[in-house]
Amino acid sequence: MTDGAQIADDVAGSGLEFTIDRAVATITLSRPDRRNAQTPGMWRALARIGDTLPEGVRVVVVRGSGRSFSSGIDLRALTPEGVPGEEPAVPADAGPDEMDRTIAGYQRAFTWLRRPAIVSVAAVHGHAIGAGFQLALACDLRVAAEDATFCMKESALGLVPDLTGTKPLVDTVGLARALEICLTAREVPAGEARELGIVQAVVPAPDLDGTVRDLAAALLQVDSAASAATKNLLQQAAGNTLDEQAAAERRAQIDRLQTIGLLVGGTGFPVTE
Ligand code: ACO
């Protein structure tokens, strides 16, 4: 287990800042001069945060400094030279197997944000392009400033979105709309993103941080174990049949009832005196 200051030290120089205020951790993409373009080093640092996040953290806010949430991958990472001081995103002489392992490593930066023990919230302003859009989609919830736009630009660069963004996008907007958004690489403005269910709230830009703080406070009001169990249950729902989901609800509820002392040893509800 690592404390917040240690994590902040660990990720210093990666383009990320990390703070913890009680049960709320905040990750700030902090390369404003590059519109928070993402690098492999930043993805390694994000994965490290996920690996070492203190147990008491219940809400993780992901935000960007400066004018944009994130302009996506640092385009220099796609050149053989890479971003200065970093290896290129595609290692020299990598074959398909090494590339598979490399991308799996990048994806680790994004997957932990779905962990049931936390609720992750992306605070999006300005641009969320490519890897930036996928980072927002990796979070459980998205709050957007009115100026936010979302763009899945990968296909325009001859690539596919591979940072775990395709599933949440299709789950949220459906196949046809996801196809249209990805294959036109158009900008989806905040208002449309709200109508599509991509973002849960759109607020004036000056209100973004306050709205996210209020949301975090509301999320902390419920019991932490009930929150984790409910998130776990909801995450399974789309992949389960009704019978499977009903069974999962029963299992989760029995566990809850035992934990809070309303069910002892599986013998039914305790008789009140
Ligand atoms: N990679 C590297 N540098 C970038 C990136 C990026 N993704 N985005 C912005 N920058 C740099 C610019 O080159 C510029 O550098 P300079 O000051 O040395 O000239 C600086 O950041 C500011 O960018 P501007 O374009 O001047 O800022 P503006 O606010 O006008 O536009 C925008 C912002 C729309 C984000 C624009 O920079 C842009 O389109 N960037 C590229 C987006 C992109 O194609 N991303 C890859 C998506 S695919 C994927 O993520 C896998």
Side-chain angles (χ1 to χ4, degrees):
M1 176 113 66
T2 315
D3 69 19
Q6 178 65 55
I7 296 176
D9 269 5
D10 285 350
V11 303
S14 68
L16 296 179
E17 289 169 9
F18 182 83
T19 57
I20 295 183
D21 181 6
R22 281 158 291 183
V24 181
T26 300
I27 298 169
T28 302
L29 280 65
S30 195
R31 302 181 74 219
D33 51 326
R34 291 267 163 199
R35 303 291 181 264
N36 300 322
Q38 301 173 29
T39 66
M42 193 185 271
W43 294 332
R44 266 195 306 279
L46 255 180
R48 176 149 179 78
I49 293 173
D51 289 343
T52 56
L53 195 73
E55 252 174 41
V57 171
R58 292 188 48 202
V59 176
V60 176
V61 175
V62 183
R63 60 189 294 280
S65 66
R67 288 173 52 180
S68 284
F69 177 73
S70 172
S71 63
I73 192 169
D74 190 314
L75 292 167
R76 295 170 305 171
L78 296 173
T79 66
E81 297 75 34
V83 176
E86 286 209 28
E87 78 280 20
V90 181
D93 304 325
D97 289 346
E98 185 183 347
M99 201 59 223
D100 185 82
R101 284 191 296 276
T102 300
I103 296 173
Y106 299 157
Q107 290 171 334
R108 285 187 66 242
F110 297 76
T111 46
W112 69 269
L113 290 159
R114 283 99 166 174
R115 190 182 288 166
I118 58 166
V119 181
S120 51
V121 182
V124 182
H125 72 291
H127 295 96
I129 303 176
F133 191 2
Q134 294 191 71
L135 181 58
L137 286 166
C139 292
D140 298 312
L141 303 172
R142 284 150 293 282
V143 180
E146 284 168 346
D147 71 346
T149 59
F150 299 82
C151 172
M152 204 64 96
K153 198 168 174 184
E154 283 79 352
S155 59
L157 302 176
L159 301 170
V160 300
D162 66 346
L163 298 168
T164 76
T166 56
K167 183 167 173 54
L169 185 64
V170 172
D171 287 350
T172 304
V173 305
L175 175 59
R177 181 59 71 191
L179 268 172
E180 182 267 324
I181 288 171
C182 292
L183 302 190
T184 62
R186 74 177 171 94
E187 289 192 345
V188 178
E192 182 186 352
R194 182 183 48 205
E195 282 166 23
L196 290 172
I198 293 172
V199 305
Q200 283 60 59
V202 177
V203 297
D207 298 343
L208 183 60
D209 289 342
T211 303
V212 170
R213 260 196 309 276
D214 291 348
L215 175 59
L219 291 166
L220 293 176
Q221 291 300 309
V222 298
D223 176 81
S224 60
S227 171
T230 303
K231 178 172 168 182
N232 191 34
L233 202 50
L234 294 172
Q235 283 177 323
Q236 301 171 46
N240 277 348
T241 63
L242 181 59
D243 283 349
E244 289 164 345
Q245 186 66 8
E249 288 176 358
R250 295 194 299 274
R251 280 194 302 276
Q253 194 69 301
I254 288 166
D255 181 65
R256 290 280 71 232
L257 291 168
Q258 287 177 324
T259 302
I260 63 181
L262 285 173
L263 177 67
V264 183
T267 54
F269 288 91
V271 179
T272 48
E273 287 147 21

